[in-house]
Amino acid sequence: MTSPEEGRGIGRDESVRAFRILHVSTGNVCRSPITERLTRHALADRLGDPFAGGLIVESAGTWGHEGAPMEANAELVLADFGADPTGFVGRELLDEHVIRADLVLTATRDHRAQVISMGHSAGLRTFTLKEFTRLVRAIDPATLPDPRDEGVVERAQALVRAAAALRGWLLAPSAEADEVYDPYGAPITFFRSVGDEINQALDPVVTALTGVGTE
């Protein structure tokens, strides 16, 4: 049986080159668990075993409910997409999570600001999810390393650098455009709308990271 830590990629052989994606929301029981598990699900669809390509996906909360399960409605949303909610354990965002992350994707601009305020040179690798999606859509895939030749990690690193370089040139049409609103305590219908929103934002990101689109 895989432990929650192993499922997050913690405890794996650190000598293996990896690219860590950290999803951040407030409580780490709704938005970031949904985003973490949908990312893993999409990576598995494209790569088979994303860990074989060196991609590790985790999540944490700025006011994380340490040790808590994800919300039941979040589990239902994941089931809608065929993603696996099992073994999830909530975490409070710590310095070590930010230090280890190669890409931090947050639910809101406030979360992004909180991550950057922690230091660790996080500014160039921290984006809101929707911001990163917008930037990724503007990057020509032909300018990125071919994952078949150079590996997925090299491609992912180049993607983050390219997105950071574009950030000042490709602004959001409105402040709300970069937000994923909190469904905590809301009915399942709102959770499902948030799940759809996250899934749509993730699709071009995962395609850009892996070089493999949906069929």
Side-chain angles (χ1 to χ4, degrees):
M1 180 178 293
T2 302
S3 72
E5 288 75 21
E6 289 172 333
R8 288 178 182 274
I10 298 171
R12 290 176 179 271
D13 184 357
E14 292 298 328
S15 66
V16 176
R17 196 166 183 215
F19 182 93
R20 288 181 177 270
I21 303 169
L22 175 66
H23 293 295
V24 175
S25 62
T26 303
N28 195 214
V29 292
C30 298
R31 287 168 292 181
S32 50
I34 291 172
T35 315
E36 173 194 312
R37 295 307 174 93
L38 286 180
T39 304
R40 290 192 192 179
H41 182 65
L43 288 171
D45 277 349
R46 288 164 170 79
L47 298 178
D49 177 7
F51 293 115
L55 300 181
I56 297 172
V57 185
E58 305 173 294
S59 66
T62 55
W63 290 86
H65 297 203
E66 189 72 30
M70 74 174 76
E71 285 289 292
N73 280 345
E75 292 189 352
L76 291 174
V77 167
L78 290 172
D80 290 343
F81 290 99
D84 183 8
T86 60
F88 180 84
V89 178
R91 302 191 302 179
E92 182 176 355
L93 181 67
L94 302 176
D95 290 275
E96 66 189 67
H97 302 144
V98 177
I99 291 168
R100 286 155 61 96
D102 298 286
L103 172 62
V104 184
L105 297 176
T106 69
T108 70
R109 293 175 302 143
D110 282 346
H111 296 131
R112 181 185 64 193
Q114 288 179 68
V115 172
I116 293 172
S117 73
M118 294 172 72
H120 315 302
S121 304
L124 291 177
R125 51 195 167 89
T126 303
F127 310 79
T128 73
L129 171 61
K130 288 186 172 181
E131 174 191 21
F132 195 66
T133 301
R134 182 175 67 255
L135 297 170
V136 160
R137 289 184 183 276
I139 296 169
D140 182 356
T143 64
L144 300 172
D146 188 331
R148 295 168 296 183
D149 298 328
E150 300 185 54
V152 175
V153 169
E154 286 285 350
R155 183 182 179 93
Q157 290 171 337
L159 182 68
V160 173
R161 290 193 298 267
L166 275 177
R167 178 150 42 191
W169 299 93
L170 195 63
L171 302 178
S174 68
E176 292 74 23
D178 281 345
E179 305 285 290
V180 176
Y181 291 106
D182 193 354
Y184 186 77
I188 185 60
T189 51
F190 188 66
F191 266 85
R192 286 193 165 117
S193 70
V194 168
D196 288 339
E197 191 176 353
I198 290 170
N199 189 61
Q200 289 174 25
L202 281 174
D203 182 68
V205 170
V206 175
T207 297
L209 283 169
T210 63
V212 181
T214 54
E215 295 182 357

